[in-house]
């Protein structure tokens, strides 16, 4: 039997991402000998006990991390600073502290000043998810074939970085290393802006007169339906993502707005070639995604 990556692994937050990690760890057996989980609400803890996806369910976050050689923050990024304050004095020396948060500059900003000496911080972000949340939403295959971006700090311990990469490899992911600022710009365009557009387009449809809204929902075409799927995402998580990747998101929104206006202008002035070019670029990107098996 291969040595597990962690002896005792603590998942702080056990929603879509935390419970998917728990499930893949249970299924494989070579990720952690013992998995401990903690969350905020008693209902969540009770449900995790019922599901039987971890070895220990702990309601006290400070107790949950005690004696763990691996700790993964799986809570919305806006909760990091308060969670870190609660766990910092209880983290075991040498422990690998990592996370799954969708923003990385804010994670480094919020965690670094609170990390006790000897605790090894290696932030990471699995590029896998769905619009569902909570411990029932997770599944063991979520990370299969997806990328996980690891954003080590200049002084991150190489052994801890290797452990985090091996952890994600065993979860089924390919890992890439990036600095936090590059990560934040990349995810702003591929994930955060599409969510901003989806929330906006649903809001715009909702603002239309009552009878039109009826018609919108009745005749919802595939394009609008795809946006509503994305727009069904978790409120806390996405509020925190937008507020914690402000600069990169606003930069991408400004670029997008310029490009959208250019296309709108082409429509106004009947510039068929410009319109065709934009559609062809969209089709090309879709084909490339399919070829990379990321569609
Ligand atoms: P989720 O399903 O909503 O689960 C969130 C978990 O965090 C729950 O267990 C919740 O506990 C706990 N929590 C929420 N607010 C908290 C607070 N203020 N203090 C302590 N615990 C709190 O969310 P998720 O989709 O797994 O997302 C978790 C993290 O993964 C986020 O940082 C997100 O950015 C990142 N991520 C998400 C996706 C995605 O597609 N969903 C993809 C990649 C990364 P209770 O149930 O007890 O409230």
């Amino acid at each position: 039997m291969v040595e597990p990556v962690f002896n005792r692994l603590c998942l702080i937050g056990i929603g879509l991402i935390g419970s998917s990690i728990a499930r893949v760890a249970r299924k494989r057996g070579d990720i952690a000998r013992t998995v401990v989980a903690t969350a905020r609400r008693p209902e969540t803890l009770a449900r995790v006990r019922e599901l039987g996806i971890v070895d220990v369910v702990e309601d006290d976050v400070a107790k949950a991390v005690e004696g763990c050689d691996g700790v993964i923050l799986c809570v919305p990024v806006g909760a990091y600073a308060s969670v870190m304050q609660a766990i910092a004095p209880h983290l075991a020396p040498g422990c690998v502290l990592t996370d799954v948060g969708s923003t990385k500059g804010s994670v480094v900003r919020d965690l670094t000043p609170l990390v006790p000496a000897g605790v090894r911080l290696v932030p990471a972000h699995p590029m896998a998810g769905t619009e569902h949340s909570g411990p029932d939403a997770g599944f063991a295959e979520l990370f299969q074939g997806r990328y996980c971006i690891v954003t080590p700090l200049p002084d991150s311990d190489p052994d801890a970085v290797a452990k985090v990469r091996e952890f994600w490899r065993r979860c089924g992911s390919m890992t890439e290393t990036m600095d936090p600022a590059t990560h934040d710009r990349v995810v702003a365009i591929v994930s955060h802006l599409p969510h901003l557009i989806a929330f906006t387009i649903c809001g715009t449809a909702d603002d239309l007169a009552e009878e039109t809204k009826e018609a919108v929902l009745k005749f919802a075409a595939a394009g609008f339906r795809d946006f509503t799927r994305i727009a069904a995402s978790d409120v806390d998580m996405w509020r925190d993502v937008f507020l914690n990747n402000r600069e990169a998101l606003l930069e991408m929104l400004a670029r997008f707005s310029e490009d959208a206006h250019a296309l709108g202008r082409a429509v106004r002035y009947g510039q068929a070639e410009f319109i065709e070019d934009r559609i062809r670029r969209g089709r090309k990107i879709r084909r490339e995604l399919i070829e990379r098996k990321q569609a």
Side-chain angles (χ1 to χ4, degrees), residues 94-253:
C95 150
V96 175
L97 174 66
T98 180
D99 80 305
V100 297
S102 309
T103 62
K104 292 273 78 74
S106 77
V107 166
V108 173
R109 177 199 68 204
D110 291 348
L111 296 187
T112 317
L114 300 169
V115 178
V119 169
R120 302 179 290 166
L121 175 65
V122 183
H125 175 204
M127 301 293 289
T130 73
E131 70 278 24
H132 303 296
S133 48
D136 283 282
F139 52 101
E141 298 73 27
L142 179 65
F143 310 111
Q144 194 66 47
R146 316 298 312 196
Y147 282 99
C148 178
I149 303 179
V150 182
T151 61
L153 308 170
D155 59 353
S156 281
D157 171 41
D159 289 345
V161 177
K163 247 181 189 289
V164 170
R165 294 184 71 149
E166 180 59 14
F167 165 83
W168 284 108
R169 201 190 61 73
R170 293 194 194 180
C171 287
S173 296
M174 299 84 78
T175 59
E176 288 270 339
T177 307
M178 233 178 241
D179 65 90
T182 307
H183 165 277
D184 286 356
R185 292 186 83 235
V186 169
V187 294
I189 188 70
V190 300
S191 169
H192 305 171
L193 183 64
H195 277 82
L196 185 148
I197 295 169
F199 298 135
T200 308
I201 206 167
C202 289
T204 307
D206 199 36
D207 283 344
L208 291 176
E210 199 57 39
E211 79 267 28
T212 325
K213 192 167 95 188
E214 258 286 286
V216 165
L217 293 183
K218 192 163 166 187
F219 302 116
F224 185 69
R225 276 206 306 267
D226 288 351
F227 278 120
T228 62
R229 184 189 62 72
I230 299 174
S233 299
D234 187 69
V235 177
D236 292 357
M237 173 189 153
W238 282 98
R239 176 206 56 219
D240 284 3
V241 168
F242 285 4
L243 293 178
N244 285 283
N245 198 16
R246 196 186 321 238
E247 264 175 45
L249 179 57
L250 290 178
E251 182 199 331
M252 296 308 160
L253 177 61

Side-chain angles (χ1 to χ4, degrees), residues 13-18 39-41 44 74-77 79-80 83 100-102 125-126 128-130 132-134 234 237 241:
I14 179 125
L16 170 73
I17 303 293
R40 181 177 48 164
R41 292 175 300 147
T44 304
C74 307
V75 299
V77 289
Y80 274 38
V83 167
V100 297
S102 309
H125 175 204
T130 73
H132 303 296
S133 48
D234 187 69
M237 173 189 153
V241 168

